Amino acid sequence: WLIQHINKLTQPKLGFAAALTFACALWFGLPFFISQPSANWSDIILAHVIGEEDSLHRTDEIASTKLAVALKEYCLNIRGNADQLGQLGKIRYLEHCPLPGGRGLHAVIDTPKDGQVTLIFPPKGTQVIADLNEREGFYSKIIRINHTSIGIVTQERQKIESISTHLHEKFVR
């Protein structure tokens, strides 16, 4: 009789303790796993650009104001006035694209100084490690401007730093 009485008293407590332990593990552990940066974003953007290589051959001239509006989604603005936005170069392609984690922004710009450059903005909130990669004649580098990650893709590795510097000068939060 005594053992049955003890079991009745401890079973609800054990169930509650197990549920509490699980809840704590979920509460503290889930954000850790969700926010883990992906180490291969420069490879992801390379694969994206290679998969949409036709975007590199576009001759469209998209209004710079459309880029300005798209950048606001990523909490970025162009330093100076709207005329200075055109100084980035001719915008040949500007589309939202599906990427791991949601919708990203894909822009192709013919810059006056560095030639053609592709910019890929990973989905908002994506944790990205800044790194450099190369594949099939393309080079990519992830940079950060404030809290926004931007993937730079070009066919000339030596131009990546110049493009990065130019973006840091032009984009502000």
Side-chain angles (χ1 to χ4, degrees):
W1 173 85
L2 182 60
I3 292 175
Q4 288 177 343
H5 184 66
I6 291 173
N7 282 341
K8 286 181 183 178
L9 291 176
T10 59
Q11 283 178 351
K13 290 180 184 176
L14 289 177
F16 177 75
L20 184 62
T21 302
F22 177 74
C24 287
L26 193 61
W27 178 264
F28 293 109
L30 191 58
F32 173 77
F33 290 109
I34 289 174
S35 67
Q36 287 301 301
S38 174
N40 62 350
W41 264 94
S42 65
D43 195 45
I44 290 169
I45 65 170
L46 277 175
H48 184 81
V49 170
I50 291 167
E52 290 190 1
E53 199 166 342
D54 60 313
S55 68
L56 303 175
H57 305 293
R58 302 289 288 266
T59 57
D60 304 6
E61 288 197 35
I62 298 167
S64 56
T65 53
K66 288 187 178 184
L67 178 61
V69 169
L71 290 176
K72 288 187 185 297
E73 291 181 41
Y74 295 88
C75 302
L76 291 176
N77 292 296
I78 301 299
R79 188 181 308 275
N81 60 34
D83 293 334
Q84 291 175 315
L85 180 56
Q87 294 174 4
L88 284 174
K90 293 180 181 174
I91 303 162
R92 301 297 188 186
Y93 183 82
L94 182 64
E95 293 290 333
H96 285 94
C97 298
L99 292 168
R103 185 178 82 135
L105 182 66
H106 180 167
V108 178
I109 303 171
D110 282 335
T111 67
K113 181 180 173 191
D114 296 307
Q116 188 178 70
V117 60
T118 298
L119 304 177
I120 302 286
F121 294 77
K124 283 178 62 174
T126 303
Q127 297 291 318
V128 177
I129 294 174
D131 59 355
L132 181 68
N133 209 335
E134 183 271 330
R135 183 201 280 186
E136 297 182 34
F138 290 94
Y139 298 89
S140 68
K141 181 176 183 178
I142 303 291
I143 64 167
R144 297 209 26 106
I145 297 178
N146 296 316
H147 299 289
T148 302
S149 298
I150 305 171
I152 299 170
V153 180
T154 183
Q155 290 183 299
E156 299 179 56
R157 183 180 180 153
Q158 68 275 13
K159 293 188 176 183
I160 287 180
E161 290 309 315
S162 172
I163 295 165
S164 175
T165 300
H166 190 67
L167 294 176
H168 276 91
E169 290 169 357
K170 292 291 181 192
F171 293 168
V172 294
R173 187 164 171 91

